[in-house]
Amino acid sequence: MNNQTSILNVNLAERSYPIYIGTDLLGDSAVYRPHIHGQQVLIVSNTTVAPLYLETVQAALREFRVESVILPDGEQYKTLAVWQGIIDALLENRFDRRCTVIGLGGGVVGDMAGFAAACYQRGVYFIQVPTTLLAQVDSSVGGKTGVNHPLGKNMIGAFYQPQCVIADIQTLATLDKRQLSAGLAEVIKYGLIGDPEFFVWLEQNMDSLMARDQALLSYAIERSCSDKAGVVAADEREAGNRALLNLGHTFGHAIETGMGYGEWLHGEAVGAGICMAADFSRRLGWLTASDQARITALIARAGLPTHPPESIDADRFMQLMSVDKKVLAQKIRLVLMNQLGSSVVTDDFDSELLKVTLNGYGPE
């Protein structure tokens, strides 16, 4: 670990763990060693990431017995059937309950590897090694793991915290432009739910982030992880304010499910979902038109869609949104903005007004 490595902590009593953010971390055995408690390690990766980074991680873990599972790449493969392949590998290699599962990849890999670790022998050790911006700033932190169901995204899963998160920002150099933009949707989200100064910083630096300025990306990752760690520490299982982390996600998950998993990247759907939340918040009188315009402009500068797909109308949206983890007593709950940099979770809104937003922003 070099002097440039930042270490943040997610404070969850006996389940607390560090997040390492820096360069040259993937191949640094000293980062992994304190968090591996047995001799058996299963690395879960996918067909895109494994050719790039699997050998580097394997070399760092030479002192352990290392096996690997390579999953197909894409949200459409985040299923119980594909997930079972991880369990099969653990059983076939006779891994015991002191083994460690490492998720090496983006959000899909991390979610599936973590869910396998949560379920195998009722829970084994788990390390997140996120290689996409979205995974580094969001899905690798906080312990949400799981798979999708044809009727709803992430409806099967578990809260299961890792031993640590190792975010090597050099992996972002191999991300394609769509994946970089997808991660920036989650970064922008942190500014909108409770960090208005960060939102202003993003307005000032978005062009440089899109150009992959390493120092600025490192700062954005660290600030995002710090914001998320604070929320998770206060509300690990989403009984209250952790739901704010779902800004744009109820709309976004509906887009992903309605279009078919993999058609829109998760971050693309969240980007459009944030714009939809801003539009509806403004219609409710909670957000000014100028603030809505700033949000939409920043999402657009990040290379993200600002409107929902035309193929999903309001009635279909309502149907898809009714299968959401935030639904309580058959009432849809949304994360909306009551001012720039401040969000609330509410089920108290005019459904007819919502339908204007769901139809892609109709007449005033």
Side-chain angles (χ1 to χ4, degrees):
M1 204 181 328
N2 58 51
N3 293 332
Q4 304 302 311
T5 301
S6 299
I7 305 174
L8 301 172
N9 283 294
V10 181
N11 296 312
L12 293 167
E14 73 279 1
R15 293 183 310 290
S16 298
Y17 56 92
I19 305 168
Y20 302 99
I21 303 167
T23 58
D24 299 315
L25 297 180
L26 280 190
D28 188 345
S29 59
V31 182
Y32 298 90
R33 196 176 295 118
H35 307 289
I36 297 175
H37 305 282
Q39 278 300 306
Q40 300 165 314
V41 176
L42 180 71
I43 302 173
V44 180
S45 192
N46 68 25
T47 52
T48 300
V49 175
L52 297 170
Y53 303 120
L54 180 59
E55 287 186 4
T56 301
V57 178
Q58 287 172 328
L61 301 173
R62 280 188 300 267
E63 65 193 88
F64 302 99
R65 178 193 161 196
V66 180
E67 304 289 344
S68 61
V69 173
I70 311 302
L71 307 178
D73 184 13
E75 188 80 30
Q76 64 270 38
Y77 300 110
K78 191 177 170 184
T79 65
L80 279 173
V82 174
W83 170 85
Q84 187 176 321
I86 307 172
I87 302 296
D88 292 345
L90 290 164
L91 286 166
E92 289 162 3
N93 289 289
R94 299 186 179 182
F95 273 32
D96 60 33
R97 58 178 34 172
R98 285 182 60 77
C99 73
T100 298
V101 176
I102 294 179
L104 173 67
V108 171
V109 166
D111 279 10
M112 294 177 77
F115 187 38
C119 293
Y120 185 65
Q121 298 198 28
R122 298 189 178 93
V124 297
Y125 298 111
F126 172 48
I127 292 174
Q128 285 271 23
V129 186
T131 60
T132 66
L133 180 59
L134 189 146
Q136 289 180 2
V137 300
D138 189 65
S139 61
S140 68
V141 179
K144 282 187 175 181
T145 71
V147 296
N148 298 330
H149 186 279
L151 294 178
K153 185 175 164 70
N154 292 332
M155 295 303 287
I156 306 164
F159 287 97
Y160 196 69
Q161 302 297 341
Q163 297 296 295
C164 68
V165 178
I166 302 170
D168 189 330
I169 63 174
Q170 286 174 298
T171 62
L172 303 183
T174 57
L175 273 189
D176 66 34
K177 188 172 181 295
R178 274 185 79 190
Q179 291 284 355
L180 182 72
S181 291
L184 287 169
E186 298 284 5
V187 174
I188 292 167
K189 173 192 74 179
Y190 292 110
L192 291 171
I193 64 172
D195 194 347
E197 295 86 2
F198 187 37
F199 182 86
V200 172
W201 183 89
L202 289 168
E203 288 183 311
Q204 295 166 344
N205 292 283
M206 182 55 68
D207 296 344
S208 297
L209 291 170
M210 289 291 285
R212 302 174 197 248
D213 181 297
Q214 199 166 66
L216 294 179
L217 279 170
S218 182
Y219 175 79
I221 293 165
E222 188 174 342
R223 182 91 172 231
S224 298
C225 287
S226 177
D227 283 349
K228 182 161 188 180
V231 174
V232 170
D235 180 19
E236 182 181 5
R237 291 180 173 262
E238 206 168 287
N241 278 350
R242 181 168 178 170
L244 294 176
L245 294 169
N246 290 305
L247 175 65
H249 285 59
T250 300
F251 299 114
H253 287 170
I255 292 170
E256 288 183 86
T257 306
M259 294 296 289
Y261 297 124
E263 282 297 311
W264 283 45
L265 296 178
H266 174 65
E268 291 171 336
V270 168
I274 289 172
C275 291
M276 295 173 76
D279 180 77
F280 189 40
S281 298
R282 198 258 311 154
R283 290 177 189 277
L284 291 171
W286 295 2
L287 202 63
T288 67
S290 62
D291 284 344
Q292 181 192 356
R294 287 175 66 186
I295 293 164
T296 304
L298 188 59
I299 293 288
R301 284 174 62 202
L304 293 160
T306 58
H307 286 73
E310 292 181 3
S311 58
I312 305 178
D313 64 15
D315 290 338
R316 178 67 173 142
F317 255 116
M318 294 294 282
Q319 180 186 21
L320 291 164
M321 290 162 63
S322 70
V323 187
D324 181 86
K325 296 185 296 299
K326 291 184 296 304
V327 170
L328 288 177
Q330 283 77 56
K331 296 193 76 171
I332 295 171
R333 293 191 302 155
L334 297 173
V335 184
L336 300 174
M337 289 163 271
N338 52 3
Q339 62 185 50
L340 197 69
S342 176
S343 297
V344 295
V345 183
T346 182
D347 61 9
D348 184 15
F349 49 77
D350 182 340
S351 294
E352 292 306 310
L353 205 56
L354 174 61
K355 287 182 179 180
V356 182
T357 292
L358 296 178
N359 274 321
Y361 321 164
E364 296 304 309

